[in-house]
Amino acid sequence: MTREEFIKVLEEKGYPYEEKGGKLVVTDGGVFGNIDLRLLETLPPGLVFDNYGFVNLHELKTLPSDVVFNNGGAIYLGSLETLPPGVEFGNGGGVYLKPLIGGWFYYWEGNIEGIHSKRLLNLMISKAVFIVTGKQIGR
């Protein structure tokens, strides 16, 4: 999906955005600041989700390597098959990664006591742990 196609989707759904430093920043939209883009299969590079609520990207199989999640709620990635280095999770809620780890990351049995689950997730992403084809991590 091109940046222009993504902007058109945002505008059709009424989700506000702004351009900052070469990034497209998706801000609050919809009810409770949620961003529901569950039917999208691809995203353009250079996105930051900075909305108040959740982000639903259920049909995505992969993310561009520079997507940043700074939203206040959960992130639903129910079809994601890979997470490239550079993706960052700084969101306030959980991260749902069904195909990669079997569900919510904070319930994953590989979490380490005393280390926040998202800190571990971001470290694992930076080490290319989720560049795996056809198998779940830790299952």
Side-chain angles (χ1 to χ4, degrees):
M1 167 175 278
T2 67
R3 185 179 183 106
E4 292 75 24
E5 291 169 331
F6 185 72
I7 288 172
K8 185 176 179 179
V9 169
L10 293 176
E11 289 174 347
E12 286 172 356
K13 291 188 162 283
Y15 296 149
Y17 65 91
E18 51 192 61
E19 296 194 42
K20 287 184 180 177
K23 298 270 189 179
L24 188 64
V25 180
V26 182
T27 57
D28 283 322
V31 178
F32 305 113
N34 297 326
I35 303 295
D36 190 348
L37 300 170
R38 75 179 83 196
L39 299 179
L40 294 185
E41 295 180 2
T42 61
L43 291 177
L47 294 180
V48 176
F49 289 93
D50 198 21
N51 55 299
Y52 181 75
F54 69 72
V55 174
N56 187 346
L57 298 168
H58 184 74
E59 293 300 318
L60 288 184
K61 302 259 189 267
T62 188
L63 287 166
S65 63
D66 60 351
V67 173
V68 176
F69 294 96
N70 287 330
N71 57 300
I75 301 166
Y76 301 94
L77 298 165
S79 299
L80 205 66
E81 295 174 350
T82 184
L83 267 170
V87 173
E88 293 179 32
F89 291 95
N91 60 303
V95 181
Y96 186 73
L97 298 167
K98 179 75 173 177
L100 290 174
I101 55 100
W104 290 99
F105 191 78
Y106 51 75
Y107 290 134
W108 179 55
E109 63 189 34
N111 277 307
I112 301 168
E113 188 175 337
I115 298 177
H116 192 280
S117 64
K118 242 178 271 131
R119 185 172 180 188
L120 178 62
L121 175 59
N122 285 325
L123 175 66
M124 292 171 70
I125 292 168
S126 75
K127 301 294 183 190
V129 170
F130 294 104
I131 306 296
V132 177
T133 307
K135 87 174 209 182
Q136 291 182 346
I137 306 292
R139 301 259 321 172

